[in-house]
Amino acid sequence: MIRFIALVLFVILFLVCSIPLLIAEYIIGKFNMDLKNRSSLAIVKWAFRGCLWITGVTITVIGEENVPKDRPVLYIGNHRSYFDILMTYIRVPRPTGYIAKKEMLRYPLLKDWMKYLHCLFLDRKDIKQGMKTILSGIEKINEGISICIFPEGTRNKVNDTFLPFHEGSFKIAEKTGCPIIPMSINNAAAIFEDHLPKIKKAHVVLEYGKPVYMNEMTREEKKKIGAKVQEIIKETYFKNKELV
């Protein structure tokens, strides 16, 4: 429980102490949005690294060279832990927005940082609002902002299994032509979810697959893009189990 308490205190302290930074970032954004994007990215990466240091997690990263540095991408990953977001975010080479559930909007200060980082908020019960979120994701890619989606739609609570990938998540890549980067995450739930409310040291393996381009696919292949990307992630996931 010591790590859990320390993590909660760190997050609260960061959010409270970051109020002047939020104000400064807001002002910077009025004059130089690119500078704001880069500085907000650096600040939150620092905070996330602090959170992960408290947990004691070690991360083996494979295939990071597969992530293009000169253009925005659509990250697609399996999802079993809240810490998936922290562990993947500290690796992004450019401003990246995550698709989050709309319930995150209830948390003051946290929601402000998420908005600064171009996160989009999804109402999973409202199809029309869901489509608007996807359209916003397309706009972000066109503005040079990468997007990350966990297309299972929620955290999967069963180890070594995968929920169906929602095909709508891939519209962002189809409409923009941006590369899809499959992300396979092994053992993330061992940090927290497997033994709530304790936080324990764990070893996580994160692998980035080679880019997938929808504009190189036939119409029929595009219809099955969710299953195709999930299969890539599955193969990598089970390959990396022995590394955990």
Side-chain angles (χ1 to χ4, degrees), residues 35-54:
L35 177 59
K36 177 189 175 183
N37 286 339
R38 288 186 282 112
S39 57
S40 293
L41 179 67
I43 291 167
V44 174
K45 277 188 173 184
W46 176 86
F48 281 179
R49 288 191 182 100
C51 291
L52 293 171
W53 180 81
I54 291 171

Side-chain angles (χ1 to χ4, degrees), residues 18-244:
S18 71
I19 293 175
L21 291 175
L22 282 169
I23 297 171
E25 291 293 279
Y26 175 80
I27 295 171
I28 291 171
K30 290 294 184 181
F31 299 95
N32 190 329
M33 183 56 70
D34 180 63
L35 177 59
K36 177 189 175 183
N37 286 339
R38 288 186 282 112
S39 57
S40 293
L41 179 67
I43 291 167
V44 174
K45 277 188 173 184
W46 176 86
F48 281 179
R49 288 191 182 100
C51 291
L52 293 171
W53 180 81
I54 291 171
T55 69
V57 66
T58 57
I59 309 171
T60 296
V61 181
I62 304 170
E64 202 162 16
E65 68 278 3
N66 291 322
V67 182
K69 307 297 189 296
D70 59 346
R71 61 183 300 188
V73 305
L74 175 65
Y75 296 99
I76 296 289
N78 60 305
H79 191 29
R80 286 214 62 221
S81 173
Y82 291 115
F83 288 95
D84 293 336
I85 298 164
L86 282 67
M87 291 184 291
T88 55
Y89 198 82
I90 62 172
R91 314 301 307 189
V92 298
R94 62 187 302 119
T96 301
Y98 280 56
I99 303 291
K101 57 186 180 181
K102 71 167 188 176
E103 286 78 8
M104 298 301 296
L105 289 168
R106 69 178 64 155
Y107 301 111
L109 300 180
L110 176 60
K111 69 178 180 182
D112 297 300
W113 278 114
M114 292 179 73
K115 289 178 180 178
Y116 280 12
L117 297 173
H118 302 278
C119 292
L120 302 173
F121 301 91
L122 177 66
D123 185 346
R124 292 176 290 186
K125 298 179 181 178
D126 190 327
I127 296 177
K128 288 185 178 180
Q129 288 299 318
M131 286 307 300
K132 287 184 179 180
T133 302
I134 296 301
L135 291 174
S136 297
I138 292 170
E139 291 178 6
K140 293 292 185 184
I141 291 287
N142 289 332
E143 293 170 2
I145 308 296
S146 292
I147 294 292
C148 180
I149 301 179
F150 298 106
E152 289 171 289
T154 187
R155 285 179 298 112
N156 184 0
K157 297 180 173 62
V158 182
N159 193 31
D160 295 341
T161 65
F162 296 80
L163 299 174
F165 280 11
H166 295 291
E167 296 288 340
S169 306
F170 297 87
K171 288 293 182 183
I172 295 174
E174 182 179 4
K175 297 298 183 182
T176 63
C178 75
I180 299 169
I181 303 297
M183 297 189 304
S184 172
I185 307 169
N186 284 71
N187 205 42
I191 304 170
F192 182 55
E193 284 77 8
D194 284 348
H195 36 70
L196 297 170
K198 294 181 179 179
I199 290 177
K200 295 184 178 181
K201 289 183 178 181
H203 176 225
V204 175
V205 179
L206 166 63
E207 180 164 351
Y208 296 93
K210 293 182 178 180
V212 177
Y213 295 91
M214 287 190 71
N215 55 11
E216 297 177 356
M217 296 180 178
T218 65
R219 182 177 297 180
E220 289 303 313
E221 287 174 330
K222 289 178 181 178
K223 290 180 181 179
K224 301 176 182 177
I225 182 62
K228 176 182 173 63
V229 174
Q230 187 182 78
E231 190 58 34
I232 293 171
I233 292 172
K234 276 184 179 180
E235 289 180 4
T236 307
Y237 176 91
F238 288 108
K239 170 181 71 74
N240 289 338
K241 274 182 67 66
E242 63 184 29
L243 301 179
V244 174

